[in-house]
Amino acid sequence: MFPKNTLRPAWPPPMHNTAKNNGRAKVTASPALTREQHLDLYFFMALNRAVEEAMVRLFRQNKIVGGLYSSLGQEAVSVGTAYALEKRDWMAPMIRNIGSLLVKGVPPRDIFTQHMARYTSPTKGKDGTSHFGDLKNLHIVSPISMLGDLIPVMTGVAMAGRYLGQKIVAMTWIGDGGSSTGAFHEGLNLAAVQRAPLVLVLENNQWAYSTPVSRQVPLRDLADRARAYGVHSAIVDGNDVAAVYQTAKAAVDRCRAGQGPVLIEAKTMRMRGHAQHDPAEYVPQGMFEYWKARDPIERCEKFLTANKLWDAKTKSEIHARIDGLIKADLEFAENSPLPPPELAEQGVYCEGPLCLEPRWERPIAEVTPPGCSVQAAWKVSDPGSIEAGQAMPGAPLAKFTRMEKTPAAPRSPAKGSTKKIAARSKGRR
Amino acid sequence: MEPVTFLEAIRQALFEEMDRDPAVICIGEDISVYGGAFKVTAGLLERFGWERVIDTPISETAIIGAACGMSYLGLRPVVELQFVDFIACCFNQLTNFVAKSNYRWGAPVPMVVRAPSGGGVHGGPFHSGNPEMYFMHTPGLKIVYPSTPYDAKGLMKAAIRDNNPVLFFEHKFLYRRIKEALPAEDYVVPLGQAMVRRKGSDLTIVSYAAMAHTSLEAAAELAKEGIEAEVIDLRTLVPLDQETIVNSVKKTNKILIVHEDTRTGGIAGEIAAILNEQAFEHLDGPITRVTALDTPVPYSPPLEERFLPQLADIVRAARDLARF
Ligand SMILES: Cc1ncc(C[n+]2csc(CCOP(=O)(O)OP(=O)(O)O)c2C)c(N)n1
Ligand SMILES: [Mg+2]
């Protein structure tokens, strides 16, 4: 494109062809999963798929208000990652993370009523899809449509948790496409510099609407994005639920130990169009076939059978449980009313008392004078030369003396009363 | 008490609120060791430490996003934008994430965004803006734009204690130019209450921030000619104190709206619509406005002077209006 031998870089840049896993350590061995854990993971993946299939039926019956997105083929990512969180931890799902919501404790009925815009939904019909949350009990932050925005928000959640002394981890997800937004990069960098306990799951499902990943990012591994920010990262087979869980668990543990954020790239495939309206004709057929052979639920079933972790009876019990749940919750949703029109006018502002007071899990005295730390949290000791590790003369660490009360008013350059202010415009015209 | 500057009044509010409530933290660019570009946060680090006075990378989106996340856990972050002009860089986080949060899913965002704003200091096109109307057009945000040290302190305290996101505009021209003695005891100025700064019967001048001072000066000039102007300082743009404006117009029957913001889509248009709805039969003259030009804020002093509403412009417009 450009003449050779100029200082201009070639464009597009060559694909960054990285070796498998890009030299990252393999998933750090967390203790092998118990049978119950394997069955749990299977249960949630199957529930995830059943909930979404039920919604496809609702969509065909015209009972879904608006669009319907699918995470078909990606269930292992949603389920395996969220399963690594504890109850106290916080998460913020994206549109294809219905499975994460289910794992965190959201009942299917909330997902149905949200998509059907019913009054009984968590947002009472104010918003749809997975756009809801729960500050008090489940610790879920509602996503918004704008991709990437959750990353700085969840960084703030992680920072606040640390400040309050809660040993929490915050987790959120982003697509391959969403990883090109400014918010992604600002958020990841802030998390890195703050060493915030944030696990960011980059769900590489090969497509962003109709655009293949290679047209969005000239990298083989999107996990490489983490390197630019000095963030620890891992790559995992997103269709192997146990591997996803183990990778996420290691990341969560690392965060909880105060070692800073982790980015996990889960490689998987979006097995439907962007949403129901999209037949995905731009996807090569062979690509669907490749990934169909690696369906995460079938793989899990084979694993459970091969390792004798279940039998036909257990399997049918699990499915009976799922069918029962879905039937009851669908019935609830279908019988739920739409919201009263006057609700549209309510709730723009929080009029009452705050619904969430901070939960302190450390002595408040540690963050109030005279107890709060005024020790410098950082120091500048490297002059920043191209030769790394140079020392500079002296010990340039800022000193801070505690101030016991509001300092005296700073000197003010201009004296006089409010009236003087208009002088700037006096007599100019 | 010693009179303090507008800037010091805001600083006192931050100190006192951080002292009162450990949930209050400050976050922004260069606010800790350096004390902020204008030194409004000077001394906070020394008193409250690193965990509560947080320097960030230059990432306005991340700052607003993180503050929003913090508020979800019950903290009350006070963000400093280095200049309000950079609010364009976090427009999405503010208008889509923060503003819609309570309405969509009942999650209040009790945060304050402080932002040095306004012209008259030769800041040029990117350091002089008055972008309040972008946000007035965004349901879910509150907007404060004080004009005196007393109000700045009291409104800042009210903003921090409010359970909603509040944009707190700090007019740079006022920072060090005005002084006022403040009460020793804790006080707040409630959001949503305009202030009648001068009583009058011939016409009403509505303004806010630095232009409230120019409007008062204009009223003094007009009085010499026998025209008694009532001057209202809005103090809070959202919630807007419609009652005070409407009541004044019912008395004076004429209104002049003065703002430093550009003309088209400025608050004058909104107030005109409110008066059409609520006081149409009381109007004896055209709803009149004196505003900045519909241009970017120019840099060179004669250009900026032409851009900004001047005392003489206000006096002239008021005189014309009074003749009706
Ligand atoms: C900032 C922003 N720009 C555009 C869109 C419209 N949009 C919604 S989803 C999508 C594709 C997202 O792709 P990806 O991040 O890979 O997620 P996936 O759909 O594959 O889960 C686009 C362009 C959006 N929601 N947000
Ligand atoms: Mg994608």
Side-chain angles (χ1 to χ4, degrees):
Chain A
M1 220 175 266
F2 298 112
K4 279 219 155 63
N5 297 330
T6 65
L7 285 177
R8 275 201 207 225
W11 193 262
M15 258 317 222
H16 183 127
N17 256 318
T18 47
K20 192 165 189 304
N21 250 21
N22 204 355
R24 286 176 188 82
K26 280 224 88 167
V27 178
T28 24
S30 52
L33 278 68
T34 64
R35 174 175 179 269
E36 277 60 43
Q37 287 177 317
H38 278 295
L39 290 179
D40 263 4
L41 290 170
Y42 177 78
F43 168 79
F44 281 116
M45 284 201 295
L47 179 63
N48 182 171
R49 189 164 290 183
V51 165
E52 293 194 25
E53 275 166 5
M55 289 202 291
V56 170
R57 289 195 296 278
L58 291 170
F59 186 85
R60 297 202 174 119
Q61 296 164 3
N62 251 330
K63 288 178 181 165
I64 299 280
V65 177
L68 178 65
Y69 298 79
S70 160
S71 70
L72 186 70
Q74 301 177 220
E75 294 91 344
V77 181
S78 289
V79 169
T81 49
Y83 195 70
L85 294 176
E86 295 179 11
K87 188 173 187 308
R88 59 184 163 169
D89 292 332
W90 285 69
M91 68 171 224
M94 291 293 282
I95 197 106
R96 296 192 209 284
N97 299 117
I98 298 286
S100 314
L101 289 170
L102 295 167
V103 170
K104 199 79 168 72
V106 170
R109 69 168 57 181
D110 284 354
I111 294 155
F112 295 142
T113 50
Q114 275 289 117
H115 281 81
M116 295 168 83
R118 301 301 164 114
Y119 192 36
T120 49
S121 75
T123 64
K124 300 187 166 68
K126 294 257 188 80
D127 204 343
T129 63
S130 57
H131 289 188
F132 64 97
D134 178 357
L135 293 178
K136 273 192 191 142
N137 301 312
L138 297 180
H139 299 167
I140 298 170
V141 171
S142 165
I144 71 167
S145 291
M146 288 66 204
L147 302 168
D149 280 15
L150 281 170
I151 299 168
V153 172
M154 295 310 282
T155 299
V157 165
M159 288 166 68
R162 180 173 59 192
Y163 175 63
L164 291 166
Q166 305 170 359
K167 297 247 177 308
I168 58 157
V169 171
M171 181 182 280
T172 189
W173 292 259
I174 189 73
D176 41 281
S179 77
S180 294
T181 58
F184 172 97
H185 293 274
E186 287 198 9
L188 191 55
N189 184 57
L190 179 64
V193 83
Q194 280 286 330
R195 291 178 77 80
L198 174 79
V199 177
L200 175 58
V201 183
L202 203 171
E203 209 162 341
N204 181 355
N205 64 3
Q206 315 305 327
W207 297 91
Y209 211 143
S210 72
T211 309
V213 64
S214 57
R215 300 267 298 163
Q216 307 160 44
V217 190
L219 294 173
R220 169 83 179 71
D221 294 319
L222 301 189
D224 285 356
R225 290 207 183 281
R227 300 196 156 190
Y229 303 108
V231 166
H232 185 79
S233 63
I235 298 176
V236 68
D237 176 349
N239 285 24
D240 176 347
V241 74
V244 171
Y245 164 69
Q246 286 185 309
T247 307
K249 180 74 170 74
V252 166
D253 289 348
R254 196 186 152 90
C255 274
R256 216 182 301 280
Q259 290 174 285
V262 181
L263 181 147
I264 300 170
E265 179 189 0
K267 299 205 192 256
T268 181
M269 171 68 184
R270 195 192 74 201
M271 294 300 279
R272 288 222 169 100
H274 177 60
Q276 278 295 318
H277 65 270
D278 171 19
E281 283 155 349
Y282 44 81
V283 178
Q285 196 50 40
M287 199 162 175
F288 281 130
E289 281 161 23
Y290 175 92
W291 286 98
K292 179 88 185 74
R294 288 156 181 81
D295 181 78
I297 296 184
E298 278 173 31
R299 267 173 82 176
C300 185
E301 289 179 345
K302 281 190 195 133
F303 176 88
L304 293 173
T305 307
N307 289 279
K308 302 197 170 52
L309 292 169
W310 70 353
D311 51 21
K313 185 163 162 278
T314 316
K315 182 177 180 180
S316 62
E317 276 168 10
I318 289 175
H319 282 277
R321 201 175 136 210
I322 289 172
D323 292 348
L325 252 174
I326 300 252
K327 189 162 175 288
D329 282 11
L330 265 182
E331 223 170 87
F332 173 85
E334 297 212 43
N335 291 326
S336 288
L338 289 167
E342 61 271 20
L343 183 71
E345 295 177 25
Q346 296 162 19
V348 173
Y349 293 96
C350 169
E351 310 285 358
L354 190 68
C355 74
L356 200 81
E357 292 294 334
R359 204 180 70 242
W360 291 94
E361 291 184 12
R362 70 193 280 196
I364 288 178
E366 285 179 14
V367 297
T368 42
C372 45
S373 167
V374 294
Q375 291 303 308
W378 45 260
K379 62 178 179 195
V380 179
S381 53
D382 182 336
S385 136
I386 193 165
E387 297 159 70
Q390 297 280 299
M392 46 186 191
L397 179 61
K399 275 248 175 1
F400 295 96
T401 29
R402 179 168 296 287
M403 215 173 274
E404 286 313 336
K405 57 182 190 326
T406 309
R411 11 351 58 215
S412 125
K415 294 188 184 63
S417 71
T418 11
K419 277 191 184 153
K420 286 268 161 59
I421 191 107
R424 71 165 161 166
S425 36
K426 245 188 194 167
R428 282 194 190 152
R429 282 195 188 176
Chain B
M1 293 295 272
E2 270 286 293
V4 301
T5 59
F6 189 82
L7 184 151
E8 173 61 14
I10 296 169
R11 198 161 74 107
Q12 285 184 5
L14 297 175
F15 264 90
E16 291 172 23
E17 288 304 290
M18 288 181 83
D19 251 338
R20 186 186 58 78
D21 182 358
V24 180
I25 62 104
C26 285
I27 181 166
E29 295 159 14
D30 306 296
I31 65 166
S32 72
V33 175
Y34 192 66
F38 291 90
K39 305 288 180 196
V40 179
T41 56
L44 290 184
L45 174 67
E46 288 84 334
R47 181 156 177 81
F48 299 104
W50 298 92
E51 287 188 89
R52 296 183 66 184
V53 186
I54 305 168
D55 275 337
T56 69
I58 304 163
S59 304
E60 283 73 14
T61 284
I63 297 169
I64 297 296
C68 178
M70 290 175 171
S71 75
Y72 287 152
L73 270 75
L75 301 189
R76 292 179 176 271
V78 180
V79 171
E80 174 172 307
L81 293 179
Q82 211 155 66
F83 286 84
V84 79
D85 309 73
F86 302 113
I87 205 167
C89 303
C90 51
F91 191 79
N92 177 50
Q93 282 283 354
L94 275 172
T95 58
N96 278 319
F97 211 109
V98 170
K100 295 176 185 174
S101 181
N102 193 67
Y103 185 77
R104 293 193 311 110
W105 63 293
V109 183
M111 71 189 242
V112 178
V113 180
R114 298 182 32 242
S117 54
V121 292
H122 314 315
F126 307 108
H127 290 77
S128 309
N130 281 292
E132 57 267 24
M133 292 306 288
Y134 293 107
F135 304 98
M136 184 146 182
H137 197 61
T138 304
L141 302 175
K142 293 188 177 180
I143 302 176
V144 176
Y145 209 156
S147 72
T148 68
Y150 178 89
D151 281 357
K153 182 170 180 181
L155 285 164
M156 177 59 81
K157 289 188 165 216
I160 291 172
R161 297 176 198 182
D162 200 281
N163 289 335
N164 294 281
V166 181
L167 302 188
F168 195 95
F169 286 75
E170 301 173 1
H171 202 295
K172 299 191 288 291
F173 191 84
L174 303 179
Y175 264 158
R176 297 175 199 275
R177 282 183 174 83
I178 51 177
K179 278 189 163 189
E180 194 173 2
L182 304 181
E185 65 278 6
D186 180 45
Y187 71 94
V188 296
V189 174
L191 305 190
Q193 292 182 10
M195 171 87 154
V196 178
R197 295 253 178 239
R198 182 188 174 113
K199 290 236 174 251
S201 51
D202 295 331
L203 79 158
T204 300
I205 303 178
V206 171
S207 193
Y208 58 97
M211 281 299 142
H213 296 281
T214 320
S215 299
L216 275 172
E217 193 76 2
E221 296 271 309
L222 291 163
K224 292 180 199 154
E225 304 174 15
I227 300 169
E228 286 304 327
E230 178 143 308
V231 179
I232 296 175
D233 178 0
L234 291 176
R235 308 200 286 189
T236 303
L237 307 190
V238 180
L240 183 65
D241 185 352
Q242 303 188 7
E243 200 183 323
T244 297
I245 303 171
V246 169
N247 286 344
S248 177
V249 168
K250 283 182 178 167
K251 185 176 75 174
T252 64
N253 310 111
K254 290 167 194 164
I255 183 162
L256 170 67
I257 304 147
V258 181
H259 58 67
E260 190 187 306
D261 187 10
T262 50
R263 194 170 186 82
T264 305
I267 201 171
E270 185 59 34
I271 292 174
I274 290 166
L275 291 171
N276 273 331
E277 290 159 359
Q278 298 183 31
F280 185 66
E281 64 276 26
H282 295 279
L283 289 168
D284 286 346
I287 298 174
T288 307
R289 54 186 168 164
V290 173
T291 69
L293 305 179
D294 275 335
T295 67
V297 187
Y299 178 49
S300 185
L303 304 183
E304 188 179 23
E305 193 179 314
R306 179 62 175 264
F307 168 86
L308 290 171
Q310 303 293 331
L311 174 62
D313 303 333
I314 302 172
V315 171
R316 198 181 317 115
R319 208 184 277 137
D320 291 348
L321 180 59
R323 283 200 203 101
F324 276 87

